[in-house]
Amino acid sequence: MKSESTLADKKSDANAPLFPEVARKRPRSMLVLRPGAMGDVLLTTPALRALRLGFPESRIAALVTGSGEAILRGNRNVDETIVLDKSSLRSQLGIIWRVRRGRFELVIDFLCNPRTALISACSGAPYRLGYDVRVRRVAYNLKKPRDEYREGRKVVKYAAEVNVDMVRCLGINGAGTRLDFEVSERARSKIDEFLRSHSLETGKLVGISPAGSWPAKTWGVRKFAELADQIGGETGCAVVIVWGPGEEELAKEMVGAMKTERVMACRTDIDEVGALLERCAVFISNDSGLKHIAVAVGTPTATVFGPTNPVTWSPPDPRHRAVYADVDCLFCDRNECESMVCMKKLEASDVLPIVKELLGEKERGLA
């Protein structure tokens, strides 16, 4: 049994890795735990890339949910995906048994919720890395503080950077925070045919998605429609309304609310929506998984923020702009809100100038 290690055990300087003994042992197999939304999985891909660079001969598996499996399809840094089926107690016990049979030498839990902590604890791995949080800390023998403080203040970082920090503590250098997402030629061919059938030009296409995973971080269909009308009238760009599973009626509602020419995207899988976003000059949305796919394929983004913090959920890159109203309760991190003041105070006219700037930079080759 490996002895437990925590930050308090380390006497060296703050930049030294917390657990360099793991890199020296060269684990032959490792499991990354990151079930959750597709954006959360995408934000873990830089850490997966760093693991592959640090352990090129190791077998790397990732435990994800269904959308996460689609995000990692084609990712060269992952040898195996295990899909977490939460439909029954029996299915979850089956996952625990499968993980244990995998004989992983290192487990890294990027989520550290009760379910993933249990999977970590039952994995049988000699090294189990997770955050040093109450109760769940017992699942890990390598404990990393969840939060970083400087001069008594909590440091807020881009989520991809936070994930890379988890790997760095093992003595593995990071490989940047670029998000990895593979778009297939099959998907590109389908989307190019769709664009041709609607006489849409790649350089003159703005994608908009009005959907959001939380009610509190959703700007609203009518405001997105108003913005789309302004874009169509003032930039000469065509607007394509992008939608995913369960969002078709919302997309149709936006089509009905618009006055200018608009196109509703065809039904797509995750690969195909990546190809569509790749063809857009700019993509506009709430803070959502589609926004992270746009970032991954290199499309400039304008993202409406309210309860969530853009420092955490947008890359520190001028091609990706955060738009939000000036209200006292901003970045409250609430899932639901009665007043929705942060969304109500933001107008289409506040967002349009940023979209124009991004389009201008794209034309000049700066974005």
Side-chain angles (χ1 to χ4, degrees), residues 147-176:
D147 298 320
E148 180 182 339
Y149 290 86
R150 291 179 193 159
E151 299 179 353
R153 300 184 66 179
K154 181 179 174 180
V155 178
V156 181
K157 292 183 178 181
Y158 181 37
E161 186 74 34
V162 172
N163 290 331
V164 171
D165 282 347
M166 183 75 98
V167 175
R168 287 194 185 108
C169 78
L170 300 174
I172 303 300
N173 291 327

Side-chain angles (χ1 to χ4, degrees), residues 288-303:
S288 67
L290 289 181
K291 167 262 183 68
H292 297 298
I293 295 178
V295 171
V297 299
T299 297
T301 60
T303 306

Side-chain angles (χ1 to χ4, degrees), residues 17-338:
L18 299 181
F19 315 115
E21 66 272 17
V22 177
R24 289 196 294 267
K25 287 286 185 180
R26 311 300 298 175
R28 292 166 298 179
S29 61
M30 58 191 71
L31 174 66
V32 167
L33 304 180
R34 194 46 181 106
M38 62 184 180
D40 297 320
V41 176
L42 256 179
L43 289 162
T44 311
T45 57
L48 290 167
R49 186 170 64 248
L51 283 171
R52 175 60 75 204
L53 290 171
F55 303 106
E57 304 302 323
S58 299
R59 175 172 65 98
I60 300 175
L63 187 145
V64 294
T65 44
S67 62
E69 181 189 32
I71 288 293
L72 294 180
R73 196 171 297 139
N75 190 307
R76 299 165 192 171
N77 302 314
V78 179
D79 299 305
E80 176 188 4
T81 53
I82 301 172
V83 178
L84 177 61
D85 180 357
K86 299 184 285 187
S87 62
S88 67
L89 176 60
R90 182 177 180 178
S91 66
Q92 294 178 73
L93 290 173
I95 287 293
I96 291 174
W97 179 241
R98 180 176 173 182
V99 167
R100 193 166 183 86
R101 281 187 303 153
R103 298 183 180 277
F104 295 103
E105 296 180 8
L106 169 64
V107 170
I108 305 175
D109 188 352
F110 286 97
L111 182 56
C112 298
N113 70 4
R115 181 180 287 110
T116 57
L118 178 62
I119 294 170
S120 299
C122 295
S123 67
Y127 294 107
R128 301 179 308 280
L129 172 62
Y131 288 116
D132 190 10
V133 292
R134 64 177 186 171
V135 182
R136 285 158 277 170
R137 63 169 62 95
V138 301
Y140 316 109
N141 57 5
L142 304 175
K143 300 176 176 63
K144 182 185 184 301
R146 182 183 288 278
D147 298 320
E148 180 182 339
Y149 290 86
R150 291 179 193 159
E151 299 179 353
R153 300 184 66 179
K154 181 179 174 180
V155 178
V156 181
K157 292 183 178 181
Y158 181 37
E161 186 74 34
V162 172
N163 290 331
V164 171
D165 282 347
M166 183 75 98
V167 175
R168 287 194 185 108
C169 78
L170 300 174
I172 303 300
N173 291 327
T177 56
R178 186 192 76 247
L179 307 184
D180 291 328
F181 181 76
E182 295 293 327
V183 177
S184 71
E185 289 306 314
R186 175 202 64 81
R188 289 190 177 107
S189 295
K190 174 179 174 176
I191 293 305
D192 287 345
E193 177 58 34
F194 166 76
L195 297 179
R196 282 194 296 270
S197 69
H198 289 82
S199 302
L200 296 173
E201 295 181 52
T202 298
K204 289 287 186 179
L205 187 64
V206 173
I208 296 182
S209 169
S213 53
W214 303 353
K217 64 175 185 178
T218 303
W219 193 31
V221 168
R222 296 203 170 272
K223 291 204 172 186
F224 275 113
E226 183 182 350
L227 174 62
D229 284 336
Q230 291 178 11
I231 291 169
E234 298 189 29
T235 70
C237 290
V239 171
V240 60
I241 301 164
V242 185
W243 56 279
E247 298 168 359
E248 185 172 6
E249 291 307 312
L250 194 67
K252 288 179 178 177
E253 184 182 344
M254 182 169 165
V255 168
M258 287 180 63
K259 300 179 177 66
T260 57
E261 186 178 351
R262 65 278 192 194
V263 174
M264 183 168 157
C266 58
R267 186 180 301 276
T268 57
D269 58 24
I270 288 179
D271 187 15
E272 292 158 357
V273 82
L276 176 56
L277 295 178
E278 194 177 49
R279 297 299 192 243
C280 292
V282 174
F283 179 63
I284 308 162
S285 69
N286 297 303
D287 178 22
S288 67
L290 289 181
K291 167 262 183 68
H292 297 298
I293 295 178
V295 171
V297 299
T299 297
T301 60
T303 306
V304 174
F305 281 90
T308 52
N309 193 329
V311 176
T312 302
W313 301 112
S314 268
D317 182 330
R319 295 175 302 166
H320 303 291
R321 307 287 184 88
V323 193
Y324 46 85
D326 184 12
V327 296
D328 292 338
C329 58
L330 203 60
F331 314 147
C332 65
D333 216 30
R334 294 177 63 179
N335 290 357
E336 297 183 2
C337 177
E338 289 185 6

